[in-house]
Amino acid sequence: MITLNQENLDKIKDPVIVPLYARKTLIPSIVHIGLGHFHRTHQAFFIDCLLTEKLTGSGIFEINLVPDSTPLAKITEDQNCLYTLLCKSTSGKESIRIIGSIIGYINAPADKQKALSRIASPETSIISLTVTEKGYYYDIAKEDLAWNIPEIIHDKNNPQDPESTIGYLSAALFLRYKTNKKPLTIMSCDNFPSNGRILKKCIFSFCHEVYPELVPWIEKNVAFPNSMVDRISPGTSSEILHEIQNKYSIIDLWPVCCEDYLQWVLEDNFINVPDSPFDPHILSKVGVQIVPEIEPYELMKIRLLNGSHSTLSYIAYLCGYRDV
């Protein structure tokens, strides 16, 4: 059995694909908020592909805004942020690779200032998010930030001690404005329509109230592209851990499993960051669709995929099924 870490990568044999690029030299140009299963099968996979093809020298620094339910900080430290991605198809075929694109991790509640500093760092040119729709604190009826949510009330009264996604991002943007003033792109990768537009609306609404001097700077220096994402990535079960151990002799406390289908459609709305080693347009080299308008792709997914899933689920539930 091989314990997964950087030192043991050369002991892992075919058919497992391992990262051969120099991880220690990677620049944390991308900060991702929300280190969950989907992100690790989707965005982190795409960046790993770029690194494998030697198309970038940028890695991902991860931040969670909620306390860890597992000893994630210890696992990421012990495994050097490496993890196994097991991909399964409906035909029964599977592929397996070690993902090396993640190069750092902070749990924000354990050290808020360190997390804010990393987001605000001049090294950071992309902030991406997978915090679920609830993490935006958006009031659909009012088309505005939900000011009555306890976390938002707290952040409005204690802006330098944030609890919400919007509070963290606004505080980090304010710190960036006060220090280096470098522009950046904030890229929502959550699965709901107009995600970038809604994120922008919530941040602007919060900053108008809490950081009014910041608003003109954000208007000129921060982009909020919309995106559409797709890949089924269930929670990791103990069976997956045992399968990876039994089939491939790898001890990994942090693996993920997913379907072989994959899609990422990204609106061509990025801000130019001088001297940044990461240009989002390079994602098109590994299969990301960069398009001028995202709405047709959102409607296609909602109506053809999500709609059919819901229809099947309603009928299946009446037939006694409880799992999809």
Side-chain angles (χ1 to χ4, degrees):
M1 290 291 175
I2 301 166
T3 300
L4 181 59
N5 57 43
Q6 185 69 35
E7 186 178 344
N8 289 338
L9 278 183
D10 59 355
K11 299 176 185 176
I12 298 173
K13 306 302 180 184
D14 289 340
V16 184
I17 300 170
V18 300
L20 300 177
Y21 46 86
R23 298 180 69 233
K24 289 185 178 179
T25 66
L26 299 181
I27 299 169
S29 308
I30 305 164
V31 169
H32 183 80
I33 298 174
L35 181 52
H37 292 83
F38 175 75
H39 165 68
R40 293 195 289 133
T41 67
H42 196 270
Q43 296 92 29
F45 168 76
F46 278 110
I47 302 302
D48 187 76
C49 291
L50 286 177
L51 291 165
T52 299
E53 297 295 327
K54 297 181 172 58
L55 295 172
T56 187
S58 295
I60 309 171
F61 200 101
E62 302 284 350
I63 297 176
N64 270 351
L65 301 185
V66 295
D68 294 332
S69 57
T70 60
L72 188 55
K74 178 170 173 48
I75 292 172
T76 53
E77 181 180 5
D78 290 347
Q79 296 189 185
N80 305 118
C81 295
L82 295 165
Y83 64 92
T84 310
L85 173 59
L86 182 62
C87 181
K88 299 191 175 192
S89 72
T90 53
S91 67
K93 293 182 180 179
E94 65 181 42
S95 62
I96 182 167
R97 68 190 288 160
I98 306 300
I99 303 295
S101 54
I102 295 175
I103 56 175
Y105 172 74
I106 296 173
N107 181 258
D111 194 337
K112 290 187 179 182
Q113 192 53 52
K114 187 176 181 181
L116 291 172
S117 296
R118 171 48 58 188
I119 300 171
S121 168
E123 288 185 316
T124 304
S125 59
I126 296 283
I127 300 171
S128 56
L129 297 90
T130 49
V131 294
T132 76
E133 188 172 358
K134 292 181 180 179
Y136 292 71
Y137 301 91
Y138 183 65
D139 187 324
I140 298 175
K142 295 181 179 179
E143 296 186 346
D144 193 10
L145 182 64
W147 288 101
N148 60 334
I149 300 295
E151 292 89 342
I152 299 298
I153 294 171
H154 170 276
D155 290 357
K156 181 180 178 181
N157 296 325
N158 307 275
Q160 295 309 306
D161 182 33
E163 293 181 352
S164 70
T165 310
I166 303 304
Y168 269 102
L169 287 173
S170 300
L173 288 174
F174 187 67
L175 179 59
R176 193 178 183 96
Y177 168 70
K178 289 294 186 180
T179 53
N180 57 75
K181 285 187 168 60
K182 293 193 74 170
L184 81 164
T185 295
I186 302 181
M187 185 187 297
S188 171
C189 298
D190 282 295
N191 187 26
F192 65 92
S194 302
N195 46 23
R197 180 185 64 80
I198 288 173
L199 178 61
K200 179 179 180 179
K201 173 68 176 176
C202 290
I203 287 178
F204 267 73
S205 185
F206 186 86
C207 288
H208 269 293
E209 291 290 326
V210 180
Y211 302 107
E213 68 177 285
L214 184 59
V215 173
W217 180 81
I218 296 178
E219 288 177 336
K220 294 181 179 179
N221 294 280
V222 183
F224 296 86
N226 295 303
S227 72
M228 192 208 80
V229 296
D230 193 10
R231 186 171 224 181
I232 295 173
S233 309
T236 301
S237 64
S238 59
E239 286 78 13
I240 294 297
L241 273 75
H242 295 145
E243 181 179 348
I244 291 171
Q245 287 187 27
N246 296 334
K247 280 188 180 181
Y248 304 103
S249 300
I250 298 171
I251 299 174
D252 181 359
L253 300 180
W254 195 46
V256 284
C257 184
C258 64
E259 64 170 335
D260 57 339
Y261 181 78
L262 176 68
Q263 188 176 25
W264 188 3
V265 185
L266 189 55
E267 183 182 37
D268 192 357
N269 174 25
F270 313 115
I271 203 86
N272 180 46
V273 182
D275 305 322
S276 172
F278 188 80
D279 177 2
H281 291 96
I282 202 70
L283 286 164
S284 64
K285 300 289 186 181
V286 289
V288 179
Q289 297 167 262
I290 297 178
V291 301
E293 174 58 51
I294 206 80
E295 186 177 16
Y297 299 90
E298 292 177 337
L299 292 175
M300 176 179 65
K301 183 184 178 186
I302 291 168
R303 293 172 178 175
L304 296 179
L305 180 67
N306 295 2
S308 59
H309 279 186
S310 296
T311 302
L312 287 168
S313 295
Y314 302 146
I315 298 169
Y317 190 85
L318 295 175
C319 293
Y321 293 99
R322 293 298 178 267
D323 295 319
V324 175

